Amino acid sequence: MPVADSVTLHPEAVIHHPDLVNLYGCRIGAGTRIGTFVEIQEDVEVGANCKIQSHSFLCSGVTIEDEVFIGHGVMFTNDLHPAATNGDGSLQGAGDWTCQPTRICRRASVGSGATILPVTIGEGALVAAGAVVTRDVPPYAVVAGVPARVVGDTRFAKGEKA
């Protein structure tokens, strides 16, 4: 089943094509909309009134606060030192690595094709399309590039003073 029984799905959440997603062990808040071909793994929390666009991947350890926008094809990671095997050549199992947390704070936006390593993206921040975020992003910062660097402030873009 594309939406597993282990999902806590608020009755007001919208999954446009439930047969074309892969959700398991996660929580989805009220008013959140999830596009096609999205995978959301166990231990992910998505707040209220978020928008998760198609082809995005939210791995274990990700927390999305309220009113967050995740663009098309956004990839999250949860391991800073990924490996298939241990030093002795044996396959790694669940106990051989540590899931690193990622937090996307309220009203932040992540552009299409961005890659997000285990970081915190601050409230109201904007990650440009295609950026690779390797460090925490301050609240209201605009970041772009590979690796992502601060290039602006979302409050100025809206005519507000910092």
Side-chain angles (χ1 to χ4, degrees), residues 6 22-27 39-46 56-64 75-80 94 97-103 116-119:
S6 59
N22 187 25
L23 278 59
Y24 54 96
C26 57
R27 293 175 127 180
E39 179 168 340
I40 304 178
Q41 295 184 329
E42 64 185 349
D43 301 322
V44 171
E45 293 189 28
V46 178
S56 291
F57 173 72
L58 285 68
C59 57
S60 297
V62 172
T63 299
I64 307 278
M75 296 291 141
F76 289 86
T77 66
N78 59 11
D79 188 354
L80 293 174
W97 68 286
T98 302
C99 181
Q100 300 294 317
T102 295
R103 177 173 294 280
I116 312 298
L117 276 65
V119 296

Side-chain angles (χ1 to χ4, degrees), residues 81-143:
H81 305 284
T85 60
N86 295 309
D88 64 2
S90 63
L91 287 174
Q92 281 196 347
D96 294 320
W97 68 286
T98 302
C99 181
Q100 300 294 317
T102 295
R103 177 173 294 280
I104 311 300
C105 296
R106 184 176 180 273
R107 299 194 114 186
S109 294
V110 180
S112 295
T115 299
I116 312 298
L117 276 65
V119 296
T120 296
I121 296 176
E123 180 175 350
L126 172 63
V127 174
V132 176
V133 181
T134 61
R135 295 191 170 132
D136 289 351
V137 175
Y140 307 104
V142 177
V143 298

Side-chain angles (χ1 to χ4, degrees), residues 134-161:
T134 61
R135 295 191 170 132
D136 289 351
V137 175
Y140 307 104
V142 177
V143 298
V146 179
R149 301 276 187 239
V150 175
V151 297
D153 186 307
T154 59
R155 295 167 292 192
F156 293 130
K158 296 176 185 176
E160 300 173 20
K161 303 238 183 213

